[in-house]
């Protein structure tokens, strides 16, 4: 992935993650708030319901006690009991007994001790306790409610101030009382009274609204920082790794081949295999990406598989193919196993170019052991860029290489470079190791190298990297030229 593409993807993915997290956090917080608010409202309503029901429970108990002690007369001690009981009921104004007398009814006894018999409406039969009202009474400054209980021919009435009933359930209780003749939507119904038959509780809407939780903003900012520096880079790298493996498996990359010639025999000595991509990425950038994602083995096996599908078995058997590997390849048991499982023709034609690095000496025993396994399977080894960065002589001393490849830096026409090339050629002759000069780009280079006895050349002067089809044509043309 290009740097610009990576940066764009990183920004886009980070913004996407933060946006998704923000939506999730907002939704989760909203659900949590709704659940918390619902719990609070239910608790508040339950508490208010319990207070109101306790009040009506006290009233019904008081009326039951008085009804049991009434004996169809209104003696002073009963009036006194009525007044005592009435004082215990908040908002209670009057308690009275209505008695049926033939075709009419009278107030037979009240808590005021009135002696005047007063006719009233004939009470209707009902069970339990009921509440009616509100009623306006001239002698009072506010309406009243009446709670009734019928037992036999008597009806017991308790007059309660409307304000007392209202104060039982203030607005913050989120409940209000409703007599059955009142009309309310079914969705607002809460509960029916356990004591008063025609009394129900109606839910009021919560007017508090959703509170603003200011912790959401710093949480999102913190998550953005975590995404930017920790989470997103790892996820982007994971996606890039998957994408790179997909590209390797779907021929996004392909091989090109550069013949290495023997100018003395006019034959191809070997063919070096390079990896290219269908994008404008250069070979260096591709190698860096593969190194960053530790896909050495996958990319090398891909190159070998491409060789096997691009050339016939006869061509593979008659030619050598050089492929760059690192110390990590040779250390890998999986790589060793897969190379030994290749066809005999491919193994015998394979020259593994090992790039000098410090791990060669750190893990030399393991590498030596695996090199022998591969050599016994038919593979050969070359040391690439000999003389660069690390001590090439120590590698030649420690490991058995069949080929030395010199770096193109030694192609410069100078006494020092000439002396170095001569010493390398002399060393290779003494050790019976083939020497390939890399970076041959002019006829002058060819003459200098040939004079020094270096006859294996690789470079643009002879040929550039080309397709498998062009390699076949080049081999035919080169080996048949006069």
């Amino acid at each position: 992935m290009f740097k610009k593409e990576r940066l764009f993807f990183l920004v886009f993915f980070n913004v996407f993650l933060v946006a998704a997290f923000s939506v999730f956090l907002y939704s989760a917080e909203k659900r949590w708030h709704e659940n918390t608010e619902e719990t609070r409202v239910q608790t508040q309503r339950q508490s208010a319901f319990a207070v109101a029901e306790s009040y009506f429970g006290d009233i019904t108990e008081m009326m039951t006690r008085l009804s049991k002690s009434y004996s169809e007369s209104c003696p002073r001690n009963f009036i006194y009991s009525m007044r005592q009981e009435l004082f215990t009921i908040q908002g209670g104004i009057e308690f009275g007994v209505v008695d049926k007398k033939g075709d009419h009814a009278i107030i037979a006894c009240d808590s005021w001790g009135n002696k005047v018999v007063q006719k009233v409406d004939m009470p209707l039969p009902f069970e339990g306790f009921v509440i009616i009202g509100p009623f306006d009474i001239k002698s009072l400054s506010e309406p009243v409610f009446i709670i009734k209980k019928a037992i036999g021919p008597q009806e017991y009435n308790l007059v309660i101030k409307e304000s007392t009933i209202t104060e039982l359930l203030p607005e913050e209780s989120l409940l209000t009382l409703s007599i059955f003749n009142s009309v309310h939507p079914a969705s607002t119904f809460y509960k029916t009274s356990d004591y008063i038959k025609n009394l129900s509780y109606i839910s009021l809407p919560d007017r508090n609204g959703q509170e603003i939780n200011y912790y959401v903003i710093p949480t999102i900012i913190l998550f953005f920082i975590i995404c930017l520096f920790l989470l997103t880079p790892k996820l982007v790298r994971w996606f890039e790794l998957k994408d790179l493996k997909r590209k390797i498996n779907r021929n996004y990359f392909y091989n090109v081949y550069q013949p290495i010639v023997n100018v003395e025999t006019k034959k191809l000595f070997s063919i070096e295999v390079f990896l290219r991509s269908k994008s404008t990425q250069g070979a260096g950038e591709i190698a860096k990406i593969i190194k960053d994602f530790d896909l050495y083995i996958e990319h090398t096996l891909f190159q070998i598989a491409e060789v096997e599908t691009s050339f016939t078995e006869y061509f593979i058997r008659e030619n050598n193919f050089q492929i760059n590997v690192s110390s990590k390849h040779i250390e890998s048991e999986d790589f060793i196993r897969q190379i030994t499982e290749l066809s005999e023709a491919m193994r015998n034609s394979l020259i593994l170019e090992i790039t000098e690095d410090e791990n060669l000496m750190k893990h030399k025993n393991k590498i030596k052991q695996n090199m022998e396994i591969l050599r016994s399977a038919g593979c050969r080894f070359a040391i690439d860029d000999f003389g660069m960065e690390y001590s090439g002589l120590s590698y030649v001393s420690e490991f058995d290489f069949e080929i030395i490849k010199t770096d193109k830096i030694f192609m410069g026409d100078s006494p020092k470079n000439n002396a170095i090339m001569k010493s390398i050629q002399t060393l290779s002759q003494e050790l019976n190791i083939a020497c390939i000069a890399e970076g041959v780009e002019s006829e002058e280079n060819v003459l200098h190298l040939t004079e020094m006895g270096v006859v294996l050349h690789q470079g643009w002067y002879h040929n550039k990297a080309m397709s498998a089809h062009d390699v076949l044509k080049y081999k035919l043309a080169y080996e048949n030229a006069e």
Side-chain angles (χ1 to χ4, degrees):
M1 186 178 291
F2 293 120
K3 291 181 179 179
K4 288 183 179 179
E5 292 175 336
R6 181 185 177 90
L7 179 62
F8 173 78
F9 186 72
L10 184 67
V11 172
F12 172 80
F13 196 72
N14 194 66
V15 170
F16 171 78
L17 278 180
V18 172
F21 176 74
S22 301
V23 171
F24 167 77
L25 184 63
Y26 173 79
S27 300
E29 192 278 333
K30 185 178 180 181
R31 287 194 300 270
W32 173 84
H33 180 81
E34 288 173 350
N35 292 336
T36 303
E37 188 66 11
E38 181 64 22
T39 301
R40 180 190 68 80
V41 168
Q42 290 298 332
T43 301
Q44 200 163 327
R45 286 174 178 159
Q46 183 61 37
S47 177
F49 173 78
V51 170
E53 284 293 276
S54 176
Y55 176 75
F56 290 118
D58 291 342
I59 288 176
T60 56
E61 286 181 10
M62 181 269 284
M63 295 178 69
T64 301
R65 285 194 301 269
L66 289 175
S67 65
K68 288 180 179 180
S69 62
Y70 181 68
S71 57
E72 299 186 5
S73 64
C74 195
R76 183 175 294 277
N77 63 338
F78 183 72
I79 294 173
Y80 178 72
S81 295
M82 283 194 292
R83 289 181 180 177
Q84 273 191 321
E85 293 283 4
L86 192 60
F87 290 152
T88 64
I89 301 300
Q90 181 182 354
I93 298 175
E94 185 177 353
F95 185 85
V97 182
V98 175
D99 204 351
K100 297 178 181 178
K101 298 295 183 180
D103 60 350
H104 65 276
I106 62 170
I107 298 177
C109 187
D110 65 40
S111 55
W112 294 98
N114 293 322
K115 301 297 183 181
V116 179
V117 176
Q118 182 179 351
K119 290 184 178 183
V120 294
D121 295 335
M122 180 70 73
L124 299 175
F126 61 90
E127 294 182 0
F129 295 86
V130 296
I131 185 170
I132 58 174
F135 301 104
D136 291 323
I137 298 179
K138 293 180 180 180
S139 60
L140 295 175
S141 59
E142 64 176 289
V144 297
F145 284 93
I146 300 175
I147 297 177
K148 297 184 175 188
K149 177 178 175 61
I151 301 178
Q154 285 84 35
E155 182 183 90
Y156 299 88
N157 293 273
L158 176 64
V159 180
I160 304 291
K161 292 180 181 180
E162 183 187 45
S163 60
T164 301
I165 299 294
T166 305
E167 289 170 3
L168 281 176
L169 299 172
E171 187 176 356
E172 58 270 18
S173 70
L174 303 179
L175 285 179
T176 187
L177 292 171
S178 175
I179 298 174
F180 280 2
N181 57 12
S182 302
V183 178
H184 294 278
S187 60
T188 63
F189 175 79
Y190 180 66
K191 285 184 179 181
T192 300
S193 174
D194 295 331
Y195 301 101
I196 311 297
K197 291 182 66 67
N198 66 329
L199 187 65
S200 61
Y201 294 82
I202 302 300
S203 300
L204 296 175
D206 183 11
R207 298 179 181 177
N208 288 341
Q210 184 171 350
E211 297 178 359
I212 298 175
N213 293 315
Y214 294 100
Y215 68 83
V216 171
I217 295 176
T219 302
I220 293 175
I221 293 174
L222 177 62
F223 183 76
F224 175 79
I225 295 173
I226 293 173
C227 285
L228 185 62
F229 294 103
L230 296 178
L231 182 60
T232 306
K234 292 182 182 297
L235 288 174
V236 169
R237 182 175 176 82
W238 182 83
F239 279 121
E240 288 183 334
L241 177 60
K242 291 293 182 182
D243 181 61
L244 188 57
K245 286 184 175 180
R246 179 184 60 80
K247 288 179 176 179
I248 290 175
N249 294 329
R250 295 186 180 183
N251 297 326
Y252 178 82
F253 297 101
Y254 61 93
N255 285 345
V256 291
Y257 306 90
Q258 186 176 32
I260 299 170
V261 299
N262 187 325
V263 296
E264 185 177 52
T265 63
K266 297 297 181 181
K267 300 288 184 182
L268 260 64
F269 174 78
S270 64
I271 302 167
E272 183 161 6
V273 183
F274 298 101
L275 192 67
R276 296 290 185 268
S277 74
K278 293 179 180 178
S279 70
T280 56
Q281 290 172 297
E285 189 173 357
I286 295 172
K288 184 178 183 303
I289 292 172
I290 291 171
K291 181 178 179 181
D292 287 344
F293 287 101
D294 198 20
L295 292 176
Y296 301 93
I297 295 174
E298 286 87 345
H299 119 262
T300 300
L301 294 174
F302 169 81
Q303 286 184 292
I304 294 173
E306 282 288 291
V307 171
E308 290 182 307
T309 57
S310 300
F311 298 97
T312 64
E313 183 179 351
Y314 174 79
F315 187 87
I316 292 173
R317 193 179 297 277
E318 294 297 316
N319 292 274
N320 301 316
F321 291 89
Q322 297 185 204
I323 295 180
N324 284 282
V325 296
S326 67
S327 58
K328 287 188 176 182
H329 287 81
I330 311 302
E331 290 178 72
S332 170
E333 297 295 336
D334 181 56
F335 180 75
I336 301 302
R337 177 185 60 79
Q338 295 203 54
I339 294 298
T340 56
E341 291 177 355
L342 295 172
S343 66
E344 180 184 2
M346 190 70 242
R347 295 198 309 270
N348 289 334
S349 69
L350 201 57
I351 298 173
L352 299 177
E353 289 188 20
I354 302 178
T355 305
E356 299 180 36
D357 65 59
E358 56 186 7
N359 286 328
L360 280 173
M361 298 304 290
K362 284 183 179 179
H363 310 123
K364 63 180 181 180
N365 293 332
K366 181 67 174 177
I367 291 174
K368 283 182 180 181
Q369 178 183 345
N370 287 343
M371 284 177 68
E372 286 306 312
I373 294 173
L374 292 177
R375 185 175 281 109
S376 64
C379 299
R380 286 162 289 170
F381 294 91
I383 183 167
D384 195 18
D385 298 332
F386 180 74
M388 297 295 295
E389 295 190 15
Y390 300 96
S391 177
L393 292 176
S394 64
Y395 295 132
V396 172
S397 174
E398 285 287 347
F399 303 98
D400 294 328
F401 291 105
E402 285 81 9
I403 300 168
I404 290 175
K405 281 188 69 176
T406 64
D407 190 83
K408 63 183 179 180
I409 193 173
F410 302 128
M411 286 297 100
D413 186 13
S414 68
K416 285 185 179 181
N417 285 335
N418 290 336
I420 291 172
M421 285 300 301
K422 285 180 182 179
S423 64
I424 294 174
Q425 170 62 12
T426 301
L427 174 67
S428 64
Q429 285 180 334
E430 290 291 330
L431 296 176
N432 195 26
I433 297 174
C435 177
I436 298 175
E438 192 174 6
V440 180
E441 296 182 355
S442 66
E443 186 176 358
E444 186 179 352
N445 291 152
V446 174
L447 294 174
H448 277 301
L449 290 170
T450 305
E451 287 175 2
M452 288 184 281
V454 180
V455 297
L456 301 180
H457 296 181
Q458 179 180 3
W460 283 10
Y461 176 77
H462 296 287
N463 45 66
K464 294 184 179 181
M466 60 188 74
S467 67
H469 178 70
D470 289 338
V471 166
L472 296 174
K473 292 194 299 182
Y474 180 84
K475 175 181 172 65
L476 184 63
Y478 185 78
E479 294 185 350
N480 292 307
E482 295 182 359

